Amino acid sequence: AAASSGGEPYARPERAASLLHLAYLIETRLGHDNSPAVRAAAFRAAADARDAAPRAWRSLFGGGGKDGGDGSGERPCAGLAWCVAAGDPAAEARGEAARFVGLLDGGGGCGEDGGPP
């Protein structure tokens, strides 16, 4: 687990709150940034956060069902990630968004055409 500035691991509630804030930032700012490197880094961070807070990640991005979520089927960042994966002019941003979209359904990436798996 990640460590705070004091060298101690972050508590689970702090990791969950950080993940929620990351999703907010992707939806409102980072996913729409003019820089392809920023868009790519945002989706890379969201995908990599799965290992740091797996239960919170499934609950937030899982969209309901047995893996978590509130059952509404809503997945923060999913639509934006799919759009970036399918049509972003920058290959780096497309690749990282595709990896994130693939993780949403437990896979490893988007379908062959760049769309949903």
Side-chain angles (χ1 to χ4, degrees):
S4 64
S5 60
E8 297 179 22
Y10 286 112
R12 187 180 324 181
E14 291 173 329
R15 290 188 308 239
S18 296
L19 185 60
L20 184 59
H21 189 63
L22 175 62
Y24 169 78
L25 288 174
I26 290 171
E27 284 283 335
T28 61
R29 302 269 189 242
L30 302 177
H32 305 280
D33 198 272
N34 287 333
S35 169
V38 170
R39 293 190 303 274
F43 289 112
R44 185 179 316 115
D48 292 347
R50 180 179 172 189
D51 295 331
R55 285 177 50 195
W57 198 95
R58 281 192 313 272
S59 179
L60 180 61
F61 297 121
K66 79 174 200 180
D67 284 336
D70 61 4
S72 68
E74 296 210 14
R75 298 183 193 192
C77 309
L80 178 60
W82 184 83
C83 289
V84 171
D88 197 282
E92 180 184 15
R94 280 194 315 270
E96 292 297 340
R99 184 171 78 107
F100 174 72
V101 168
L103 292 174
L104 294 176
D105 294 318
C110 282
E112 291 179 18
D113 62 352

